[in-house]
Amino acid sequence: MTMFAGTLPTLLAAADGPFIATGSAPQWVALMPGLPLLGAALCVLFACLNVKSKLPGYATVALLAGGFVTALAAFLQGPDGYGVATIFRWIHASIGADADASITANFGFYMDGLSMLWMLFVTGLATVIGLYSTEYVASDKGLGYCRFFFAFNLFVFSMASLVMADNLLLLFLGWEGVGLCSYLLIGYFYKKPEAVAAAKKAFIINRIGDLGLLMAIGATFVVFGTLEFRPLFEMIAQGVDGKGQAIGHTWVVVVIPLLLTAGAFGKSAQLFFYVWLPDAMEGPTPVSALIHAATMVTAGVYLIARMFPLYAADDAMVALTVVAWCGAITAFWAATIEFAQYDIKRIMGYSTISQLGFMFAGLGLLGTTGAVFHVFTHAFFKATLFLCCGAVMHGFGGQLSLRRLSGVMWMKGFGITGVCMFIGCLSLSGVPFTAGFFSKDMILAQAFATPDEMIGGATFIGLLLLLTATMTAYYTFRVFFRVFVGPRHFEPGEDDHGHDDGLGHDAHAHHHHNPTEEEEGDALHTGFHPHAPGWAMNGAMVLLAVGTILVASLYFVNKKEDHGWAGTMVRHSTAAYPSPGLAHGKDKPAATTVEPLPLGAPAPEHGQAGKPHAKAGTFLGQDPFKIMYYVSAVLGLIGILAAAWFHAPKGAWGLGIGNRELPSKVRMDAVAARFGPIPKWAENKWYVDELYHAIIVKPLLVLSHVFHAFDKLVIDGLVDLVGALPRWLGTLLRPSQSGVLHGYATGMVAGSAVLIVLVVLVAMWS
Amino acid sequence: MSLLHLLILTPLTFAVAIALAPASRARTIATIGCLVPIGPMLVALFNFDYSRGDLLQFAANIDWIPQMGLSLGVGVDSVSLLLIALTILLGPICVIGSYSAIQDNHKVFYGWLTGLQAAMVGVFAATDLVGFYISFEFTLLPLYVLINLFGSSNRKRAATKFFLYTFTGSIIALAGLVYVVLHHRGIEGAWTFDIPTLASTAMKMSAGEQALVLLALMLGFAVKVPLFPVHTWLPLAHTEAPTAGSVILAGVLLKLGTYGIYRFVLGFVPEAVIAYAPLIAVLSIVGIIYAGLICWVQKDVKKLVAYSSVSHLGFCVLGLVALNNIGLTGSVLYMINHGLSTGALFLCIGMVYERFHTRSMDELGGLAGTMPIWSSFMVFFVMASVGLPGLNGFVSEFMCIIGTFQSSPAWVLEGRAGAAGGSLGPWFAFAAGFGVIVAAMYLLYMTGRVIWGTPKHPHGHGNGHEDGHGHTPPSDLNTREIGLLSVLAVGCLVLGLYPTPVIEAIEPSVERTLAPYQDLLEARAQALMLTEGEG
């Protein structure tokens, strides 16, 4: 790695290649992870001091806001502030063979467009959702409150470490850290068995993916001799490994990306791994909004975007094709399940899986800008949707079934919730001029612009995504039409999610322990009054809804040069890539591409800079990036109309075609009945959980029991047998002195003798 | 007399003092006796020249029978020093941690516990085989007594099994060591028991002799580690031992095995190690996963953690046979880290046992609500044990896995940076990596049962205040307990966030251990390359 330092061409803002931040970032960027870490420490202190007010919550919000201001300040510096800021040396171990060779991982931060973009929404949304949480978990004030905000803070610290890490090991620290916080927060209602099980499931399934990531880190280290991003990307940009050998056409560019993908799919709940995310909805809703919708689950997208040069170094694009296909299939698969779900929070959970599928498809289809922009917009509108669902849940005693709620928007105090929900739904459905519309369009268009020769089956993926986009509009408005508009009706849930010390909405299981709970339970069923959101929750929802509207405009910032603000950010990051049909600087002179390589350096063999791109594809003979606006708008409208026809109430809010009069009786029922058992199967999530249980968990459990028995009976049995043998021998030889210890001692000598004879025999044989 | 003699003799003196003093003073004397060595330990830590961590420092020799080459030599390189530091640190934690658990027979308990300290320091400090072996065997006796007299219901059987099993193992190891001594006598014509001298001649043994010695030593040390399949004494001993016994057992005594492998197997017979490394690695990996899965179906919390030691120590041995800097350094670091986090877990379990008189997961549950402080510590140490980055376990586990990954002749053939050969490789690392998943499975399973869930009220009494229905919630940790766990927690955090000084301290010793391997591994890779070329 050292042999290339200094001789590398500066790749600053090369329009067609990855941007490697070579400068140094200011040390104060460390405040972004630092302030939440301080917050976590404060929460521990508050717990020790037995603080019973909302202080931990407000302190958290203040510190997180500080983090957001730091992010803004860093952002305003622009690309000048991009670079590395090293805080302290974390792990440093020599690897021996070469005197200088070492494995180094600092607490160092790598700031470029990608980390900046992520940090903006991570810190921003964390602040707003933190504010919402101060009210949401208010009835838990005391230890539970401290515990919640401790994990909340630690999560933001971990997420910041993940996103800002300047090496793969610190990224892994953040990666596991967010996993831990997710575990702690899903299991926040720890007395509820489902929550505990869901937390465990999330952590373990993530760990399976993490094994892939860990192996990728090992391979990266062996091949490149470093885990630090800057030297790593400098080598990849040159197409060489740590010894200067070309990496194109080797296992390196296929195996490492595939291993990284396993990690990414675990964290981001994609194919084969996704089953943990719907269960994670057991966590408090603000947690679902922040961790399981807006931020943590996008870490997989971040990882692939960050390591994109390695993916793109493969001419055959094997790993990217896998990513694209898996993403698209996940998007569609999750959408089919949503059709038959009735729990509004789970619907949003599956919707997140589906939307993440879009993002991965975008990455796989070489459209990094679209994918990253969709991460950004999705963070806003999905967080909005979750917070609104949370307000409903909070207000109706944990009620989440769309069969038992109707016309919520018209109830006292829920107007703001309804309006915000509406804005979120529009964006998720991809209604024109909303944020979701622009970002999703970029991915959809990319599918048709990317030629099939580059990513096998890109066109088919595009068609699948179009179908999924239509389905998305349908299932989104199915929730809105049923729950938020129509005749006012509600059946309260069995508990109040807020009133809780780890009890969750599972109050019935513990009534006998807590008489006051029982009284409350009676009150719920006799004279229940919906509990409208207060200023903090309303404020947070409004802020996010406004944010959802505003981020749409980012699509027009730097539209000409970079295809939107996200494009500008991506262009200044390692995720920069000349997407087919969207190549940055396609109208620009060649001077903006990579400078010629120094003499003697191996020529780049990969699909990066300098390589002529295959001709971009079209959609019905048109430029996909232009026509997709209309296509997706029409398809989205079809989805919404279908939702209105099947689920909407009579009147204007049913677009004039709805006919629902009761909360639980809709036109869809008759249609669903015609499909026989299929809707039931979909409602049961196609039995994937059961399948996993049958083919993985159960056999493993049986195996474990077998091992346990084997250990006790066979291995330990043999030991006891060997131990008993001499006693038996002793009895045989000298019956008069057959004391237990005597026997053992004889046995030991005899046994040792036998073993030494064996050793000698083995030695002679070898 | 050197600092090291002081570190051995101080606990020994105090042990004798406990034996002579009245029983009512035993506890106090033991506490002082465990705290006093911290002073010389700190002096040693500050005066050690870490840049030459490969040299035996603070060396001193007391001649015993010079004609026979017998002496009682002491001296430490950085690895021994760190393990002694761990021993000295865990001493007061065991003693103070036993205040409430041990109600009577103070004299016996604290006497043997303090004496054990001396023996353990002796093992790590000895530079001479006789001193080493005497200390090594002497560690058995105190623990035998502790388990036999202060353990749970099945303690007699556990103590006997522990003693005989590990004793048999060490006799076999002794056979190997004696062979090395005889071999030296044969070549040089003089007796010596000096370990570095023996190492240099042992390396000259023929491949067959080396294999023989390796098998003997491995049989002995593997029992101690314990390595699959000679591990069955451990779960029993751990489960039955009193808390302090378990802490010492997991914290230090198991490390005698890995230390033995590091010092004697790796140090004496390099050729045989290279030949047998894949076999040892396979046993380690089988142990990692096999024991991990067994953990997953345990009902007794302590047994679960006991089996987890078998699984964890598999990583430790795996790192050793990776035969490269990262693997070995990681492994030594693992010895320290495992001592801290698993020791802490046993301490935590002991605290719960004192309150409820049960360790069954069927009877415990929902302690997060009733004992939030204890639960916070427990989750913390579970995460350290799971290998969460930022805490200590991760760094060493990661280094062992990466060392294994790197340890392949294929990397030499491909000309990878820092490739040193070795016989393992990515597939070994991948297989061992499953241990990381399994660790999460069983530890979170335990956490889910014990800490989360509905609160259960076992028949125990909350520190004696029973209302007749057994419904009084037990009291949470007291200041003494919080203090003990905090010390370990700080250790875990510091070693997780800033392990570099420790890593850098270990490296010189590791480099010296690996020096004889470089040429051998290189020659082996060359040979492989030739075969590859022909094929």
Side-chain angles (χ1 to χ4, degrees):
Chain A
M1 91 194 212
T2 39
M3 58 192 289
F4 291 103
T7 59
L8 272 172
T10 318
L11 295 173
L12 270 175
D16 269 1
F19 165 91
I20 299 165
T22 49
S24 58
Q27 296 275 319
W28 49 259
V29 295
L31 286 175
M32 282 184 265
L35 290 174
L37 190 62
L38 176 67
L42 279 179
C43 286
V44 172
L45 185 69
F46 291 142
C48 292
L49 297 176
N50 213 0
V51 171
K52 292 221 189 297
S53 66
K54 283 189 180 180
L55 182 62
Y58 292 139
T60 300
V61 174
L63 287 167
L64 292 179
F68 179 58
V69 170
T70 315
L72 273 181
F75 170 69
L76 290 175
Q77 285 193 312
D80 295 339
Y82 293 164
V84 176
T86 304
I87 309 303
F88 73 93
R89 182 179 263 192
W90 176 32
I91 295 175
H92 178 86
S94 107
I95 59 172
D98 302 318
D100 299 334
S102 68
I103 185 164
T104 305
N106 292 325
F107 257 90
F109 301 119
Y110 182 87
M111 299 306 299
D112 71 352
L114 205 60
S115 33
M116 199 62 252
L117 178 135
W118 244 270
M119 283 322 293
L120 279 173
F121 77 80
V122 167
T123 53
L125 290 179
T127 312
V128 175
I129 297 171
L131 177 70
Y132 179 96
S133 310
T134 56
E135 183 183 331
Y136 193 87
V137 289
S139 47
D140 229 3
K141 284 195 291 276
L143 270 187
Y145 206 69
C146 294
R147 183 163 54 95
F148 181 91
F149 283 103
F150 165 76
F152 199 92
N153 275 309
L154 199 63
F155 168 77
V156 182
F157 160 76
S158 306
M159 191 71 201
S161 304
L162 192 168
V163 167
M164 291 166 60
D166 87 328
N167 61 73
L168 280 171
L169 221 49
L170 184 61
L171 182 145
F172 194 70
L173 177 136
W175 192 270
E176 294 287 299
V178 293
L180 165 71
C181 300
S182 166
Y183 170 78
L184 292 175
L185 287 167
I186 297 171
Y188 178 70
F189 301 117
Y190 63 82
K191 287 179 190 164
K192 207 184 157 209
E194 293 91 339
V196 176
K200 194 173 74 177
K201 184 174 176 182
F203 196 88
I204 291 169
I205 292 182
N206 267 295
R207 274 252 151 162
I208 299 172
D210 293 350
L211 178 56
L213 181 52
L214 202 60
M215 290 297 115
I217 293 175
T220 306
F221 179 66
V222 165
V223 170
F224 295 98
T226 182
L227 293 175
E228 295 185 295
F229 285 151
R230 194 190 291 171
L232 185 63
F233 288 121
E234 280 171 354
M235 281 182 246
I236 297 172
Q238 297 262 12
V240 295
D241 65 16
K243 285 280 187 196
Q245 299 154 340
I247 54 170
H249 308 293
T250 65
W251 63 270
V252 172
V253 293
V254 179
V255 174
I256 299 181
L258 284 176
L259 289 168
L260 288 170
T261 305
F265 280 11
K267 189 68 61 196
S268 292
Q270 293 299 287
L271 263 199
F272 310 119
F273 294 107
Y274 71 88
V275 289
W276 66 267
L277 185 56
D279 289 16
M281 297 302 135
E282 292 293 343
T285 308
V287 169
S288 311
L290 180 67
I291 300 184
H292 303 119
T295 57
M296 182 187 86
V297 289
T298 66
V301 183
Y302 172 80
L303 180 68
I304 295 183
R306 172 56 77 214
M307 300 300 289
F308 204 75
L310 195 59
Y311 282 80
D314 177 17
D315 277 341
M317 308 240 167
V318 175
L320 285 175
T321 310
V322 170
V323 171
W325 273 96
C326 288
I329 294 171
T330 312
F332 174 73
W333 180 260
T336 62
I337 298 174
E338 276 157 284
F339 267 40
Q341 297 300 307
Y342 294 93
D343 177 320
I344 54 174
K345 219 177 138 185
R346 296 230 164 188
I347 293 175
M348 291 306 155
Y350 277 105
S351 160
T352 304
I353 297 172
S354 180
Q355 295 301 307
L356 288 164
F358 272 90
M359 297 167 203
F360 280 104
L363 287 175
L365 293 163
L366 306 172
T368 48
T369 300
V372 169
F373 190 38
H374 199 51
V375 168
F376 196 81
T377 59
H378 174 261
F380 281 87
F381 63 71
K382 189 53 69 64
T384 312
L385 289 169
F386 265 111
L387 293 193
C388 294
C389 290
V392 173
M393 192 178 177
H394 192 244
F396 295 91
Q399 183 58 268
L400 283 168
S401 171
L402 52 68
R403 287 158 162 163
R404 299 195 169 85
L405 292 164
S406 174
V408 167
M409 194 169 163
W410 316 125
M411 294 181 202
K412 189 161 175 280
F414 285 92
I416 293 176
T417 311
V419 171
C420 294
M421 184 78 186
F422 183 60
I423 293 169
C425 285
L426 287 178
S427 202
L428 174 57
S429 313
V431 167
F433 306 108
T434 59
F437 170 72
F438 292 119
S439 54
K440 204 186 286 178
D441 261 15
M442 287 189 78
I443 294 171
L444 291 170
Q446 192 66 58
F448 296 98
T450 300
D452 284 4
E453 302 90 70
M454 290 181 87
I455 298 297
T459 313
F460 181 82
I461 291 173
L463 293 172
L464 191 61
L465 289 180
L466 277 178
L467 175 61
T468 310
T470 318
M471 291 161 80
T472 307
Y474 166 79
Y475 71 66
T476 309
F477 270 90
R478 169 172 171 255
V479 172
F480 184 79
F481 284 139
R482 292 192 68 156
V483 173
F484 287 87
V485 291
R488 265 173 283 181
H489 173 89
F490 68 87
E491 294 166 33
E494 285 172 327
D495 68 271
D496 190 330
H497 236 234
H499 289 257
D500 189 304
D501 181 26
L503 205 56
H505 50 247
D506 194 42
H508 55 91
H510 322 290
H511 274 188
H512 55 282
H513 284 317
N514 192 340
T516 51
E517 196 75 29
E518 210 150 13
E519 282 159 27
E520 248 177 50
D522 288 342
L524 291 182
H525 297 292
T526 49
F528 183 86
H529 294 291
H531 180 63
W535 70 268
M537 285 170 68
N538 273 330
M541 284 187 282
V542 168
L543 278 173
L544 283 190
V546 170
T548 303
I549 295 169
L550 289 181
V551 292
S553 64
L554 293 176
Y555 183 66
F556 300 98
V557 177
N558 295 346
K559 178 89 184 75
K560 258 214 144 48
E561 309 88 62
D562 293 322
H563 311 281
W565 173 79
T568 312
M569 300 304 277
V570 167
R571 186 160 65 81
H572 290 98
S573 79
T574 55
Y577 187 83
S579 312
L582 194 70
H584 292 297
K586 60 181 169 183
D587 314 319
K588 290 178 186 171
T592 52
T593 54
V594 183
E595 288 172 29
L597 294 168
L599 217 62
E605 289 186 39
H606 48 91
Q608 289 288 1
K611 185 172 171 261
H613 305 113
K615 202 172 174 311
T618 60
F619 187 78
L620 305 172
Q622 304 287 319
D623 177 358
F625 286 98
K626 296 211 167 70
I627 194 169
M628 196 51 69
Y629 296 134
Y630 308 104
V631 176
S632 78
V634 170
L635 290 176
L637 194 64
I638 292 174
I640 294 172
L641 285 175
W645 171 260
F646 288 121
H647 299 283
K650 280 183 173 165
W653 279 101
L655 309 179
I657 56 174
N659 79 336
R660 180 169 66 86
E661 284 173 347
L662 296 165
S664 60
K665 209 164 157 350
V666 291
R667 279 196 183 118
M668 192 63 205
D669 298 340
V671 181
R674 291 197 190 172
F675 284 91
I678 293 173
K680 194 79 200 159
W681 294 347
E683 190 181 348
N684 286 313
K685 307 165 270 181
W686 305 119
Y687 300 98
V688 174
D689 277 310
E690 285 79 0
L691 181 73
Y692 283 179
H693 195 262
I695 65 169
I696 299 172
V697 181
K698 205 70 197 267
L700 212 53
L701 205 58
V702 170
L703 186 71
S704 304
H705 279 290
V706 169
F707 278 176
H708 189 204
F710 180 79
D711 205 55
K712 241 196 318 215
L713 301 175
V714 180
I715 296 190
D716 205 30
L718 276 175
V719 172
D720 286 345
L721 196 69
V722 171
L725 203 65
R727 195 190 326 175
W728 177 73
L729 270 176
T731 327
L732 208 69
L733 295 175
R734 259 179 292 174
S736 57
Q737 296 183 357
S738 64
V740 174
L741 266 173
H742 258 285
Y744 268 119
T746 325
M748 239 151 42
V749 176
S752 312
V754 170
L755 279 162
I756 289 175
V757 169
L758 269 177
V759 166
V760 172
L761 285 177
V762 168
M764 281 163 67
W765 171 71
S766 69
Chain B
M1 195 156 107
S2 91
L3 264 177
L4 298 168
H5 284 122
L6 201 64
L7 282 174
I8 300 171
L9 290 178
T10 314
L12 210 55
T13 317
F14 277 94
V16 172
I18 292 170
L20 298 175
S24 57
R25 297 258 181 269
R27 204 169 87 175
T28 320
I29 301 174
T31 311
I32 299 169
C34 285
L35 288 171
V36 164
I38 292 178
M41 188 66 235
L42 288 176
V43 173
L45 280 173
F46 278 109
N47 287 314
F48 192 83
D49 177 7
Y50 292 96
S51 61
R52 295 313 310 268
D54 54 327
L55 298 180
L56 291 172
Q57 303 183 24
F58 311 119
N61 223 1
I62 299 175
D63 278 342
W64 186 13
I65 311 171
Q67 296 81 357
M68 286 287 288
L70 281 175
S71 63
L72 292 177
V74 289
V76 286
D77 72 351
S78 56
V79 170
S80 325
L81 180 78
L82 288 168
L83 288 169
I84 292 177
L86 175 70
T87 312
I88 302 282
L89 171 76
L90 288 179
I93 289 185
C94 288
V95 170
I96 300 172
S98 302
Y99 277 7
S100 51
I102 303 301
Q103 301 294 349
D104 39 41
N105 228 346
H106 280 193
K107 241 173 133 138
V108 179
F109 182 85
Y110 290 109
W112 284 110
L113 191 57
T114 316
L116 183 54
Q117 286 286 103
M120 291 186 301
V121 175
V123 172
F124 296 126
T127 55
D128 141 309
L129 219 46
V130 176
F132 168 80
Y133 197 75
I134 292 174
S135 316
F136 192 80
E137 291 295 29
F138 187 73
T139 56
L140 296 182
L141 201 54
L143 200 66
Y144 173 79
V145 175
L146 292 184
I147 298 176
N148 199 16
L149 295 182
F150 300 90
S152 320
S153 50
N154 203 7
R155 56 183 186 266
K156 299 266 183 252
R157 184 174 127 76
T160 311
K161 190 165 198 166
F162 156 75
F163 189 88
L164 291 176
Y165 206 148
T166 50
F167 188 67
T168 312
S170 25
I171 283 186
I172 300 168
L174 180 67
L177 293 173
V178 166
Y179 187 92
V180 171
V181 173
L182 289 174
H183 175 263
H184 179 87
R185 166 103 168 89
I187 292 182
E188 305 285 332
W191 292 102
T192 183
F193 293 91
D194 181 51
I195 293 170
T197 320
L198 287 173
S200 59
T201 44
M203 282 176 208
K204 295 182 193 128
M205 289 192 293
S206 71
E209 285 174 301
Q210 291 208 4
L212 184 142
V213 172
L214 174 119
L215 275 161
L217 293 182
M218 273 312 288
L219 270 170
F221 294 130
V223 170
K224 202 87 183 177
V225 170
L227 200 62
F228 175 86
V230 287
H231 61 272
T232 48
W233 63 270
L234 181 74
L236 186 66
H238 259 317
T239 318
E240 300 301 326
T243 301
S246 290
V247 174
I248 281 290
L249 188 56
V252 186
L253 286 178
L254 303 187
K255 309 317 180 309
L256 299 187
T258 48
Y259 177 77
I261 296 176
Y262 177 78
R263 187 65 80 215
F264 296 102
V265 179
L266 261 57
F268 279 13
V269 288
E271 270 183 71
V273 169
I274 292 175
Y276 284 88
L279 177 70
I280 300 171
V282 166
L283 288 178
S284 310
I285 293 169
V286 169
I288 290 172
I289 294 169
Y290 173 86
L293 285 175
I294 292 178
C295 286
W296 196 34
V297 293
Q298 293 306 313
K299 293 269 181 250
D300 183 317
V301 186
K302 204 170 177 189
K303 206 161 197 169
L304 187 150
V305 178
Y307 266 112
S308 87
S309 279
V310 181
S311 181
H312 278 142
L313 273 270
F315 281 107
C316 200
V317 176
L318 189 65
L320 287 177
V321 293
L323 299 178
N324 51 35
N325 282 40
I326 297 189
L328 254 71
T329 310
S331 180
V332 174
L333 194 58
Y334 209 119
M335 298 180 203
I336 299 161
N337 286 337
H338 179 264
L340 292 178
S341 51
T342 306
L345 282 178
F346 277 120
L347 212 54
C348 283
I349 293 166
M351 291 168 183
V352 160
Y353 185 73
E354 281 173 38
R355 286 166 171 75
F356 297 103
H357 301 287
T358 180
R359 294 184 301 251
S360 165
M361 282 184 242
D362 290 334
E363 294 176 47
L364 296 169
L367 291 182
T370 41
M371 296 174 67
I373 303 175
W374 179 85
S375 301
S376 310
F377 275 114
M378 188 71 180
V379 170
F380 180 90
F381 292 120
V382 159
M383 285 302 157
S385 202
V386 163
L388 189 85
L391 299 178
N392 58 346
F394 169 73
V395 184
S396 40
E397 198 167 270
F398 172 78
M399 287 176 75
C400 287
I401 291 178
I402 294 294
T404 308
F405 197 103
Q406 216 197 3
S407 163
S408 162
W411 303 129
V412 182
L413 297 182
E414 288 189 19
R416 298 298 177 197
S423 327
L424 315 181
W427 289 109
F428 282 85
F430 184 67
F434 277 94
V436 177
I437 301 171
V438 177
M441 278 160 52
Y442 64 75
L443 282 166
L444 294 189
Y445 152 76
M446 176 186 75
T447 316
R449 293 289 294 267
V450 175
I451 296 178
W452 316 128
T454 32
K456 290 178 188 163
H457 301 288
H459 305 296
H461 20 86
N463 274 2
H465 308 292
E466 206 169 354
D467 63 353
H469 306 282
H471 271 227
T472 318
S475 55
D476 209 341
L477 303 187
N478 57 35
T479 321
R480 173 180 62 91
E481 294 166 320
I482 293 174
L484 292 176
L485 292 179
S486 300
V487 169
L488 293 174
V490 168
C492 290
L493 207 56
V494 169
L495 281 178
L497 289 175
Y498 197 51
T500 304
V502 183
I503 291 173
E504 282 173 352
I506 297 169
E507 274 167 355
S509 168
V510 162
E511 266 162 38
R512 201 193 53 165
T513 308
L514 282 178
Y517 287 84
Q518 253 173 20
D519 295 340
L520 290 171
L521 288 173
E522 210 161 282
R524 198 160 156 277
Q526 293 292 339
L528 271 175
M529 212 182 299
L530 280 178
T531 345
E532 195 103 322
E534 283 163 16

